[in-house]
Structures are given as structure tokens and as C-alpha cells.
């Protein structure tokens, strides 16, 4: 009996390690993706920029930038909530959301805590760099990581805590995350406006990690992935798509811009610099929801969370159903190109569900 008990205990221990390993692997893959998708080419062209950037990334430079953001965080947070409330206040009644679930003071306090932690990690990270940054010579990914100042470990810590915050606000009514996400989104925009262009590049990754993990159920995807065997077609599909999800989003976004050059949302033309990042994030968001459905073997994430959020936000943001359908069509093409037949089949049925949900007969009536 003792041998069997020990065997069961060892088996459970190994199973737990495998699950933790899967979660850690996917979280780190997502964090690494930021480092591979940097748009820093123009920095290399100007030596003066390189000198300025070296100052920004120094210990004192990081402290100065962090303090600048902390000084403006309270004001920016209040302004962000005012914008969120102005956009969504009518939706509380229209969608019959319990007002008690939306506490402005709690939401702003929670967001303040996340930003405070992110800035603390940003100022601390300089001490973890093993060698001085060589600017402007960049010959390998390690030097890019040093320049970017956002290690996978830092990004993973931030994403884990934001994931927990997301769970907190979705447990009673998933639609509440719309208010929380917009609060963070407007806070991000407000904070970036207080920084110089070079500081915006460096800090942008931290803010993007926060923004993405609120809009996307990434932690839910990681947890669902941990329940799969290593040879699962669903898991392999996600492992294949995760590193290229931003690349896919960029490709789809550009095709939509080419197909609809005069289309604009509430914020402006899709090609504008302030609008494109949000469009890319939304395309990635749809991808992550597909992963969750595939890994969970259920349409719950789409039915209970994604569609209600879109029904609440997109009409207010003037995002037309036709654009979403075009994106879904292009996404199906990309999935088919990146995956084999068995892997693709774990996602396509849920993509078809979205296709029917965003038909003119259904979503068109909302807009």
C-alpha cells in the first residue's frame, strides 16, 4: 500500500510540474514576443538618439522616467475614468449590468497598484543586466533585450498579476472587464503623453503587457493549456500560433486597411498611428479567445465574454460588423497557412461560430 501511495504521490507531483511548466512556457513565449516585435529601427539611424537612449536606460534615467509617471499617475487615472464613464455609462442600463459591480474607486486603486509595480520593476531591472548596453551597435537579440529594458521575467510577473486582476473582475459578470480595460487603456495613453518619444518606445512594452492581458484572456489560455497532454493537437496549435500572433495581426490589419482605405472608427482612420495599435490588439484578442475555446473544448469564452464585450464596445467605438467579418475571414486563411489540418480543425469550428455571431442579421442590428 505504501508503494502505491508513494507512486500516486509522485505521479501527482510530476503532473503538477508538467502543468506549471506549460503555463510558464506559454507565458514566457508571450513575453518574448514583445522583444521580437520591437519597432526600434529608426533609433539606430541617429547617434544623438543613441546617446539619449543610453541616458534613459541608465539607473538614474529609469528613476527619472518612473518618477515622472508616478507624479502624473493619479491625475491621469482620474481623467481615464472620466473618459471610460463618458463612453460606457449608458451601456450599464442598456446591458442590464449591476451597477454595484462597477466601483470606480476600486478600479482606479487596482490600476494604480499595477502601474506602481510595473514602474518599480522597471527601475530595478537595470541592476540585473550583466553587461553595459552597447549603443548603437545591435547584433543579436540579447542586445535588443538590454536596450528594450523589458526582460521576459519582468513581463511575466506583470502579466501574471494583471491576469489575476482580470479574473477578479470577470468572475461575477465578464462584461465588467470592459470598464476595467478601458480604464487601463486611457491611462496608458495619458501616461505616454507625458513622456519623450524615446521614453515612449522604452516604456511602451510595459504598458502594452498590461493592456493586452486585460483585453485578452491569456491567463485563462495558459491554465487551460496546462490540462492538455504534450501531444494534444489543440496545445500544439496554440504553441505554433502564439509566437506569430502579432505577425498575423499585422498582416491582417494591413490587408483590411488596403481593402477599406477610407473606413474610420471613432478614433480615426485604421492606418493612423493612434488607431492601428488598438486594431492590432483586437485582432490578437480574437486569436486568444479562439485558443481558449479550443483548449477548453467549449464556446463559453466567446458566448459569455467576447461577444457581449464587442456588443457593448464596438457600436460606441464605431467598429462595423463588416470589418470584423473581414478580419475573421483573413484569420481563417492565416490559421490554415500556419497549422496542419488536424491542428487547424481544433480552431476552425469556433471561428465559424464567430462568423455567424458577427453576421449582419445579428451584430448589424446592434450597430
Amino acid at each position: 500500500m505504501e508503494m502505491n501511495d508513494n507512486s500516486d504521490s509522485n505521479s501527482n507531483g510530476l503532473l503538477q510540474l508538467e502543468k506549471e511548466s506549460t503555463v510558464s512556457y506559454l507565458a514566457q513565449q508571450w513575453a518574448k514576443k514583445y522583444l521580437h516585435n520591437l519597432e526600434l529601427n529608426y533609433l539606430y539611424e541617429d547617434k544623438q538618439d543613441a546617446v539619449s537612449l543610453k541616458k534613459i536606460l541608465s539607473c538614474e534615467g529609469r528613476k527619472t522616467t518612473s518618477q515622472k509617471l508616478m507624479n502624473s499617475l493619479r491625475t491621469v487615472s482620474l481623467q481615464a475614468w472620466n473618459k471610460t464613464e463618458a463612453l460606457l455609462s449608458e451601456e450599464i442600463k442598456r446591458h442590464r449590468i449591476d451597477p454595484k459591480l462597477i466601483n470606480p474607486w476600486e478600479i482606479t486603486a487596482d490600476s494604480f497598484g499595477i502601474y506602481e509595480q510595473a514602474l518599480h520593476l522597471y527601475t530595478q531591472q537595470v541592476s540585473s543586466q550583466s553587461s553595459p548596453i552597447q549603443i548603437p551597435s545591435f547584433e543579436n537579440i540579447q542586445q535588443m533585450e538590454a536596450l528594450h529594458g523589458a526582460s521576459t521575467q519582468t513581463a511575466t510577473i506583470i502579466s501574471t498579476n494583471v491576469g489575476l486582476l482580470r479574473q477578479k473582475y470577470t468572475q461575477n459578470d465578464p462584461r465588467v472587464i470592459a470598464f476595467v480595460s478601458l480604464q487601463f487603456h486611457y491611462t496608458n495613453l495619458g501616461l505616454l503623453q507625458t513622456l519623450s518619444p524615446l521614453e515612449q518606445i522604452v516604456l511602451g512594452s510595459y504598458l502594452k503587457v498590461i493592456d493586452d492581458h486585460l483585453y485578452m484572456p491569456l491567463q485563462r489560455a495558459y491554465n487551460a493549456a496546462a490540462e492538455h497532454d504534450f501531444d494534444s493537437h489543440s496545445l500544439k496549435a496554440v504553441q505554433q500560433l502564439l509566437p506569430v500572433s502579432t505577425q498575423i495581426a499585422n498582416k491582417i490589419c494591413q490587408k483590411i486597411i488596403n481593402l477599406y482605405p477610407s473606413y474610420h472608427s471613432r478614433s480615426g482612420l485604421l492606418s493612423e498611428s493612434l488607431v492601428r495599435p488598438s486594431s492590432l490588439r483586437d485582432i490578437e484578442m480574437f486569436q486568444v479567445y479562439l485558443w481558449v475555446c479550443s483548449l477548453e473544448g467549449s464556446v463559453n469564452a466567446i458566448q459569455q465574454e467576447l461577444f457581449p464585450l464587442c456588443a457593448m464596445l464596438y457600436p460606441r467605438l464605431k467598429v462595423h460588423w463588416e470589418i470584423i467579418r473581414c478580419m475573421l475571414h483573413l484569420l481563417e486563411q492565416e490559421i490554415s497557412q500556419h497549422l496542419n489540418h488536424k491542428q487547424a480543425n481544433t480552431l476552425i469550428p469556433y471561428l465559424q461560430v464567430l462568423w455567424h455571431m458577427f453576421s449582419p442579421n445579428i451584430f448589424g442590428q446592434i450597430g
Side-chain angles (χ1 to χ4, degrees):
M1 277 300 281
E2 287 183 8
M3 285 182 63
N4 288 337
D5 287 343
N6 288 337
S7 177
D8 289 344
S9 177
N10 290 338
S11 177
N12 290 335
L14 287 172
L15 202 61
Q16 185 61 33
L17 283 174
E18 285 180 9
K19 289 181 179 181
E20 290 175 1
S21 177
T22 301
V23 172
S24 176
Y25 172 77
L26 291 176
Q28 288 184 19
Q29 283 297 105
W30 186 271
K32 284 179 181 178
K33 188 163 62 72
Y34 289 103
L35 303 176
H36 288 278
N37 290 319
L38 301 181
E39 295 179 359
L40 296 172
N41 290 335
Y42 83 95
L43 294 179
Y44 311 159
E45 298 170 5
D46 192 318
K47 289 185 178 180
Q48 188 58 46
D49 274 355
V51 173
S52 299
L53 192 63
K54 194 169 185 177
K55 289 181 180 178
I56 290 170
L57 290 172
S58 68
C59 184
E60 283 305 311
R62 286 170 183 265
K63 287 179 181 178
T64 300
T65 302
S66 179
Q67 192 58 52
K68 189 191 302 185
L69 291 178
M70 284 303 300
N71 289 342
S72 60
L73 182 55
R74 191 174 301 277
T75 301
V76 169
S77 293
L78 292 174
Q79 292 171 342
W81 181 256
N82 288 337
K83 291 179 180 178
T84 299
E85 199 165 41
L87 188 70
L88 292 180
S89 58
E90 294 179 11
E91 303 302 305
I92 297 175
K93 289 182 180 178
R94 194 161 76 90
H95 288 265
R96 298 177 182 176
I97 299 170
D98 184 355
K100 293 177 183 176
L101 296 176
I102 302 166
N103 184 334
W105 309 114
E106 185 178 8
I107 292 172
T108 51
D110 284 343
S111 68
F112 193 95
I114 292 291
Y115 285 110
E116 193 172 38
Q117 182 198 42
L119 292 173
H120 173 73
L121 290 169
Y122 175 68
T123 56
Q124 294 298 310
Q125 192 181 339
V126 69
S127 62
S128 68
Q129 293 173 355
S130 57
S131 59
I133 302 162
Q134 300 300 315
I135 298 175
S137 172
F138 305 96
E139 297 177 1
N140 54 50
I141 189 62
Q142 283 75 27
Q143 288 173 319
M144 276 182 74
E145 289 185 22
L147 167 65
H148 195 245
S151 71
T152 56
Q153 182 183 13
T154 300
T156 303
I157 292 170
I158 296 171
S159 64
T160 299
N161 289 331
V162 175
L164 292 172
L165 186 68
R166 194 181 196 282
Q167 289 176 4
K168 170 185 172 179
Y169 283 102
T170 55
Q171 62 183 355
N172 291 319
D173 188 335
R175 296 171 297 178
V176 174
I177 199 64
F179 295 82
V180 183
S181 299
L182 274 180
Q183 166 68 17
F184 276 83
H185 176 65
Y186 286 131
T187 301
N188 281 358
L189 293 179
L191 290 176
L192 285 173
Q193 288 175 2
T194 67
L195 302 177
S196 69
L198 290 181
E199 286 176 317
Q200 289 178 14
I201 292 291
V202 175
L203 268 296
S205 64
Y206 282 85
L207 301 184
K208 183 168 168 52
V209 169
I210 294 170
D211 206 25
D212 284 1
H213 278 76
L214 276 168
Y215 274 88
M216 306 176 199
L218 284 160
Q219 207 65 42
R220 182 171 174 177
Y222 302 155
N223 294 337
E227 301 300 320
H228 283 253
D229 294 332
F230 74 95
D231 57 350
S232 157
H233 293 306
S234 292
L235 180 58
K236 286 187 178 297
V238 173
Q239 289 174 334
Q240 287 277 98
L241 292 173
L242 191 150
V244 295
S245 61
T246 302
Q247 177 187 325
I248 289 172
N250 271 296
K251 195 172 176 182
I252 291 174
C253 188
Q254 191 55 54
K255 285 184 178 180
I256 293 174
I257 290 170
N258 294 339
L259 288 168
Y260 300 91
S262 60
Y263 172 81
H264 60 87
S265 66
R266 180 190 178 99
S267 303
L269 291 169
L270 296 180
S271 56
E272 291 178 9
S273 59
L274 288 177
V275 181
R276 188 181 175 104
S278 296
S279 302
L280 292 173
R281 183 204 59 220
D282 280 10
I283 298 170
E284 288 203 69
M285 176 182 71
F286 271 81
Q287 292 181 70
V288 176
Y289 271 101
L290 282 175
W291 302 346
V292 170
C293 287
S294 175
L295 292 166
E296 292 183 348
S298 167
V299 296
N300 283 348
I302 288 174
Q303 288 182 333
Q304 297 174 7
E305 194 166 313
L306 178 61
F307 186 78
L309 287 177
C310 292
M312 188 189 306
L313 291 173
Y314 282 174
R316 302 291 297 171
L317 298 173
K318 293 184 171 27
V319 177
H320 198 264
W321 65 266
E322 186 181 352
I323 296 293
I324 307 300
R325 270 205 150 193
C326 179
M327 180 267 290
L328 293 172
H329 174 69
L330 294 171
L331 183 53
E332 183 173 5
Q333 292 179 351
E334 289 296 321
I335 288 172
S336 299
Q337 288 176 16
H338 283 86
L339 303 178
N340 64 37
H341 184 66
K342 287 184 178 179
Q343 292 168 350
N345 277 347
T346 66
L347 295 166
I348 298 302
Y350 302 106
L351 195 61
Q352 291 171 344
V353 170
L354 284 171
W355 177 262
H356 292 301
M357 282 183 165
F358 285 91
S359 69
N361 291 334
I362 298 176
F363 197 82
Q365 297 300 316
I366 301 171

